[in-house]
Amino acid sequence: MRYFELLGFQHVVLALMPAVIFIILFYIALSRTHFHSKNSERRKTTRIHAYPDGLETKNAPVPLILILIIVGFLLWAFFYVLGTGLTGVKI
């Protein structure tokens, strides 16, 4: 007896989707680190602030993989809540 109607489908989605998303993100991360703009090389080399022990702050571009992970998490959370609400599954 199953207490949740979509438990089998949720297990499949929760098992396969993160793996597929990880493979895509890993490929993108290896192929390209960030978007290149006119001043991206200057931003990577210009020092903004120096801390003790040789640490430096730079205004470097945000890596593409970090942007994709954050956007992917937000989209997944939105559609998970939307899908759970529309299907009427009780948590």
Side-chain angles (χ1 to χ4, degrees):
M1 177 179 200
R2 290 196 175 246
Y3 293 108
F4 301 101
E5 299 170 4
L6 298 175
L7 189 60
F9 177 72
Q10 287 176 349
H11 283 163
V12 170
V13 169
L14 289 174
L16 292 179
M17 291 309 291
V20 170
I21 292 170
F22 173 77
I23 291 170
I24 293 169
L25 289 177
F26 189 68
Y27 172 75
I28 292 171
L30 291 179
S31 65
R32 202 177 157 135
T33 57
H34 64 274
F35 289 114
H36 296 281
S37 62
K38 297 175 189 174
N39 62 354
S40 59
E41 290 300 322
R42 182 184 54 80
R43 289 174 59 192
K44 285 194 290 187
T45 58
T46 305
R47 183 176 74 177
I48 302 295
H49 186 73
Y51 296 100
D53 295 331
L55 297 174
E56 298 176 344
T57 306
K58 297 179 182 174
N59 189 17
V62 177
L64 179 61
I65 187 71
L66 185 60
I67 294 170
L68 290 176
I69 288 173
I70 293 170
V71 170
F73 169 75
L74 293 174
L75 286 174
W76 174 82
F78 175 74
F79 285 115
Y80 183 78
V81 169
L82 188 67
T84 303
L86 290 177
T87 57
V89 178
K90 295 182 181 178
I91 298 177

